[in-house]
Amino acid sequence: MIGVSAIDKIVIKFHENDIKTNIIGLNPASKSIVDSIALFNKPSGISENIGQ
């Protein structure tokens, strides 16, 4: 899923720069896909991707 990967990259990049994010405007189907595939919302998902 290219869109989910793009969201992950953006959220992780913002997190690296101490910018809080809130994804809004997703329809229920898209939210479900992001919730199941994205790394940024998994336990330690961001820290694993930014090397913490």
Side-chain angles (χ1 to χ4, degrees):
M1 298 305 225
I2 296 170
V4 175
S5 177
I7 291 171
D8 262 342
K9 287 179 183 179
I10 292 167
V11 171
I12 290 168
K13 183 58 108 174
F14 282 173
H15 189 268
E16 288 173 343
N17 293 298
D18 295 323
I19 300 170
K20 293 184 182 204
T21 57
N22 187 16
I23 308 299
I24 59 172
L26 295 176
N27 64 30
S30 296
K31 183 180 180 329
S32 176
I33 292 169
V34 169
D35 287 345
S36 64
I37 298 174
L39 298 175
F40 72 86
N41 60 353
K42 303 287 188 269
S44 69
I46 290 179
S47 61
E48 288 178 8
N49 284 288
I50 62 173
Q52 291 181 351

